[in-house]
Amino acid sequence: MKTSFPKQDIRVLLLEGVSQTAVDVFQRAGYSQIEYHKKSLPENELKERIAEAHIVGLRSRTQLTADVLEHARRLIAVGCFCIGTNQVDLGTAERLGVPVFNAPYSNTRSVAELVIAEAIMLLRGIPQKSMQCHRGGWAKSANGSYEARDKVLGIIGYGHIGTQVGVLAESMGMHVIFHDVETKLSMGNARAAASLQDLLQRSDVVTLHVPETPSTKMMFGAREIAAMRKGAVLINASRGSVVDIEALAEALRSEHLAGAAVDVFPTEPKSNDDPFVSPLVGLDNAILTPHIGGSTLEAQDNIGIEVASKLVRYSDNGSTLSAVNFPEVSLPEHPKSRRLLHIHKNVPGVLSRINELFSAGNINIDAQFLQTDAEVGYVVIDVSAGEDQADELKAKLATIPGTLRSRVLY
Ligand SMILES: NC(=O)c1ccc[n+]([C@@H]2O[C@H](COP(=O)([O-])OP(=O)(O)OC[C@H]3O[C@@H](n4cnc5c(N)ncnc54)[C@H](O)[C@@H]3O)[C@@H](O)[C@H]2O)c1
Ligand SMILES: O=C(O)CC[C@@H](O)C(=O)O
């Protein structure tokens, strides 16, 4: 069958060692051109490889900037095999007609479990005690060691991860308070704090679970750290840009904070072969982990299946359900029709031009699906047409002013 992109020609570029389960999903769906890289690529190589790719899969290291996306002339979709999508210029991707998908839930439990473990470790002063043992010391003492029971946990960002942390913490007898910019339903006995300041003043453990956005960049600086109780501990497994790392280092050195656990950093090594540099290195009261909050085999395998399935569904069927930057449509299969896709700038008159084109050609529309957002309109048209006719229609659709992409799906 004549389609814009026959499956055997669709090139899938998978970066950063995404789980083998993703490769399996593509292969089972009939995609054979899969280029797999265990690491992220240097920018020049990325631009070269992305120029050939129709589908790209990445994790948090690969930066899909506007400049990189300009090189991606064949790109039809991007998959972030993680929760965060801040590494992709989502606006540019949308304006190029490229939907971006992620896995909003699959690693949330893994992060929550790590945070709970770290809260206990920090409350007991284990990082310092462990370091002393490594150096041949023996600090057998209860000083500075506390149970988690009856302590206050303050959660900043009460979303998928924050709520799970709260539920697990309550099962250990902690009192949970949270701060969010949205009104949130409390889980269990958790209560919204009156303000961020209120949360900071009341919490023994503060944990950050906000996304990277303009409003969260450096939201946790010297002022917020100073507002925390003396001897409290801080956990950041959200994004490195959220915390002023120099201010945190200072608070750990002065012991205003008893400890911190940090999984994400303002600058992270591009690969496991690159050195890790941070003002927190060498501080005994800091647990430092290499951005592995969501890195469990269970989470990565589930993410591989979830994101690859969304990419296959878009590529095979046109559905954009749960895309993070694109009008969402969930489409039924109409195997007896030809399916055409049209992605356009959301300006007046495009839909009527599309419909004129079909009525002028006396083509019966079996079904039509339209969704728009401020930037882009996405129309899916199922028609009773022959192969060549569909091809012709696609060419005509491409000439409508404002068109970003047009495609015969099947
Ligand atoms: N360390 C890791 O490996 C790892 C793994 C998964 C996710 N993450 C990070 O964790 C973040 C949170 O994940 P999630 O699944 O809970 O996301 P989510 O979208 O479900 O929750 C985020 C919450 O933060 C709130 N928020 C946004 N801006 C805020 C602000 N300025 N102040 C207070 N609250 C604010 C939102 O309203 C939302 O409730 C992700 O965006 C990602 O960056 C890290
Ligand atoms: O796997 C990664 O690289 C990122 C993990 C995490 O930060 C996420 O956003 O899901």
Side-chain angles (χ1 to χ4, degrees):
M1 188 192 301
K2 220 184 234 175
T3 60
S4 304
F5 299 106
K7 242 183 217 188
Q8 68 274 16
D9 293 344
I10 292 188
R11 294 182 185 192
V12 182
L13 174 65
L14 296 178
L15 304 169
E16 302 188 56
V18 302
S19 168
Q20 177 63 34
T21 56
V23 178
D24 297 342
V25 168
F26 280 112
Q27 285 176 338
R28 268 200 304 273
Y31 294 79
S32 51
Q33 294 216 43
I34 301 171
E35 182 179 326
Y36 186 89
H37 294 263
K38 281 198 159 157
K39 299 178 181 176
S40 59
L41 299 176
E43 194 177 287
N44 55 347
E45 211 179 313
L46 175 63
K47 285 177 176 170
E48 218 173 84
R49 300 314 311 139
I50 209 170
E52 305 294 321
H54 298 96
I55 294 174
V56 172
L58 47 93
R59 291 172 63 184
S60 58
R61 277 178 186 153
T62 304
Q63 300 297 312
L64 285 195
T65 59
D67 181 30
V68 171
L69 285 166
E70 289 302 329
H71 289 74
R73 301 194 184 285
R74 303 171 178 198
L75 195 61
I76 58 172
V78 171
C80 296
F81 285 74
C82 52
I83 292 179
T85 52
N86 52 290
Q87 67 280 39
V88 181
D89 184 332
L90 296 176
T92 300
E94 184 182 22
R95 286 188 288 280
L96 293 170
V98 176
V100 177
F101 299 91
N102 71 341
Y105 314 112
S106 294
N107 66 14
T108 55
R109 170 71 188 205
S110 302
V111 180
E113 286 187 10
L114 181 68
V115 167
I116 292 297
E118 290 176 335
I120 296 171
M121 290 292 174
L122 292 169
L123 286 168
R124 296 290 290 269
I126 298 299
Q128 304 89 306
K129 289 186 168 67
S130 171
M131 288 310 295
Q132 285 186 39
C133 286
H134 276 291
R135 291 193 288 261
W138 191 249
K140 184 172 165 62
S141 158
N143 282 345
S145 289
Y146 303 96
E147 290 184 348
R149 178 173 52 172
D150 219 23
K151 300 298 173 301
V152 177
L153 173 70
I155 301 172
I156 302 174
Y158 196 59
H160 296 123
I161 297 175
T163 46
Q164 290 191 66
V165 171
V167 169
L168 293 174
E170 278 200 345
S171 72
M172 301 191 300
M174 294 187 85
H175 306 284
V176 177
I177 56 176
F178 63 87
H179 167 73
D180 201 291
V181 282
E182 304 291 341
T183 304
K184 293 283 175 163
L185 173 72
S186 300
M187 298 289 175
N189 293 319
R191 290 288 170 266
S195 64
L196 178 57
Q197 281 295 313
D198 175 48
L199 178 142
L200 297 176
Q201 281 157 14
R202 288 163 58 198
S203 300
D204 301 295
V205 180
V206 173
T207 184
L208 289 156
H209 299 291
V210 293
E212 180 180 294
T213 65
S215 83
T216 63
K217 270 202 173 169
M218 290 293 239
M219 73 177 274
F220 216 83
R223 202 171 45 142
E224 287 69 29
I225 292 170
M228 286 174 66
R229 298 166 73 150
K230 180 157 171 56
V233 299
L234 177 69
I235 301 174
N236 183 18
S238 61
R239 279 292 177 265
S241 57
V242 173
V243 173
D244 180 340
I245 200 97
E246 295 287 353
L248 175 59
E250 184 44 42
L252 290 172
R253 274 194 293 267
S254 71
E255 295 184 4
H256 171 62
L257 296 189
V262 183
D263 186 46
V264 286
F265 300 86
T267 312
E268 296 181 2
K270 288 259 176 283
S271 82
N272 286 356
D273 302 328
D274 294 332
F276 168 61
V277 180
S278 166
L280 302 179
V281 168
L283 296 176
D284 280 8
N285 51 356
I287 299 175
L288 306 182
T289 47
H291 200 152
I292 43 72
S295 294
T296 61
L297 293 175
E298 293 92 334
Q300 294 307 311
D301 286 354
N302 288 335
I303 289 173
I305 294 167
E306 183 179 345
V307 180
S309 304
K310 289 177 181 177
L311 291 166
V312 164
R313 189 158 178 232
Y314 175 63
S315 180
D316 284 358
N317 152 295
S319 286
T320 50
L321 195 68
S322 91
V324 297
N325 66 334
F326 216 74
E328 290 185 65
V329 291
S330 176
L331 303 166
E333 299 288 345
H334 284 152
K336 292 195 177 137
S337 306
R338 304 256 164 230
R339 178 163 287 177
L340 291 115
L341 311 185
H342 188 261
I343 303 170
H344 54 268
K345 286 185 195 152
N346 187 8
V347 289
V350 178
L351 194 61
S352 57
R353 297 284 299 270
I354 292 174
N355 288 334
E356 273 163 28
L357 200 152
F358 286 91
S359 66
N362 206 19
I363 309 281
N364 194 39
I365 294 180
D366 300 336
Q368 190 177 54
F369 309 85
L370 165 72
Q371 205 53 260
T372 58
D373 65 18
E375 292 278 345
V376 159
Y378 178 39
V379 192
V380 179
I381 312 132
D382 291 347
V383 289
S384 303
E387 230 174 73
D388 290 338
Q389 225 174 0
D391 216 28
E392 233 173 80
L393 283 165
K394 184 230 151 206
K396 286 186 180 155
L397 281 170
T399 65
I400 294 177
T403 299
L404 296 169
R405 299 283 172 109
S406 63
R407 188 173 153 201
V408 181
L409 205 62
Y410 53 76

